[in-house]
Amino acid sequence: MKEAKSSLRLKVWDELVKVAKPDSRFHWDFSQFIPDFEGSEKCVERIRRMDLYKRASLIMITPDNNLAKLRECALLDDKPYIMPTYSIARGFLRLSRSDVPQGKEDFASTLDGAERFGKLASLREISKVKVDFMVTGGSIINCDGVRYGKGHGFFDLEWAMFREVGAVDEGTPIIAVVHDCQLVDEEMPVTEYDTIVDLIVTPTKEVKVKKRYQKPRGIMWERLEQSMLVSIPPLRELREIQGQT
């Protein structure tokens, strides 16, 4: 399974490099970041036109490079959002219009800016709110909503932790923003911890997923690498919340 996923990623990455924008830290190493790409601003405008976005009072947006413009626009549109820190190593940040000085929205949408203006949000705090929808990037996705990220499983963990504390449920929409070359028309192996998306947005189209798979109901502790408990503080907090040692 792992080899099959890696092979599919590499196949798409060969095409993605033609339209992607390099990262200052990782250059073209797509195993370390989800890149921005040509036309990503069109994806943002598609999302901003959605009733789902217009009605939202709280969004979760991943720290992927191709979503920086969406995070900036969310601040400009007075749409508070929760953003995981890189690798979830410092948990989650919450950003809102009131946190960011006027004119600093562009900087606040970056990882460095989010650290400057965002407020840390514990899972206990997140358990008291409802996320209206989630937005993530990805490495590769198909029309069934099966999405693979970089290969580290961070978004799957983020979804699972939010579901464990009640901030999301089966009906919470998940939007994946990708370039057209990342959307493939082929079967992709699915595991019980792969988080299925509901809507795919590319620079040229929107694809509503026909539901074939359920989303994970929470953390599968028995499948979790022990190193993640060391490197991801919210996992330790969740164990405390659930009374585990």
Side-chain angles (χ1 to χ4, degrees), residues 133-182:
F133 66 97
M134 303 174 76
V135 189
T136 181
S139 287
I140 179 173
I141 193 166
N142 69 8
C143 291
D144 291 326
V146 181
R147 168 202 168 274
Y148 300 162
K150 302 183 295 290
H152 308 301
F154 293 130
F155 182 69
D156 296 326
L157 282 177
E158 291 153 10
W159 163 267
M161 286 189 282
F162 277 34
R163 184 149 189 184
E164 290 273 10
V165 300
V168 299
D169 57 33
E170 183 66 30
T172 304
I174 299 176
I175 300 175
V177 174
V178 295
H179 190 271
D180 290 272
C181 74
Q182 296 173 277

Side-chain angles (χ1 to χ4, degrees), residues 230-244:
V230 176
S231 62
I232 301 177
L235 284 174
R236 299 196 299 274
E237 182 189 8
L238 182 59
R239 286 178 71 102
E240 294 172 2
I241 291 171
Q242 296 178 340
Q244 302 183 54

Side-chain angles (χ1 to χ4, degrees), residues 3-123:
E3 290 77 12
K5 288 186 172 185
S6 295
S7 177
L8 285 167
R9 285 190 186 93
L10 290 172
K11 180 179 176 181
V12 168
W13 288 346
D14 284 343
E15 294 301 314
L16 182 59
V17 73
K18 300 173 184 178
V19 295
K21 300 176 183 179
D23 183 90
S24 60
R25 300 157 299 166
F26 305 115
H27 200 45
W28 299 111
D29 184 0
F30 298 146
S31 68
Q32 297 301 316
F33 77 108
I34 302 294
D36 195 7
F37 50 76
E38 295 174 8
S40 63
E41 70 283 352
K42 296 178 182 177
C43 301
V44 173
E45 289 309 310
R46 288 180 180 278
I47 292 173
R48 293 177 81 190
R49 289 195 295 266
M50 294 177 184
D51 289 339
L52 181 69
Y53 179 86
K54 293 175 182 178
R55 294 193 305 263
S57 57
L58 181 63
I59 310 168
M60 189 278 218
I61 309 176
T62 59
D64 300 322
N65 289 15
N66 65 320
L67 299 179
K69 189 64 177 180
L70 178 62
R71 296 191 294 270
E72 178 186 355
C73 288
L75 293 171
L76 291 168
D77 296 336
D78 199 13
K79 300 290 182 182
Y81 62 89
I82 296 172
M83 187 192 84
T85 54
Y86 184 76
S87 301
I88 331 178
R90 293 188 58 247
F92 300 96
L93 296 169
R94 179 166 177 158
L95 288 98
S96 63
R97 170 72 279 179
S98 60
D99 298 323
V100 180
Q102 188 172 0
K104 296 292 186 179
E105 298 87 0
D106 185 13
F107 176 53
S109 72
T110 66
L111 293 179
D112 288 343
E115 293 280 355
R116 170 77 176 274
F117 299 116
K119 298 176 181 177
L120 285 171
S122 68
L123 284 180

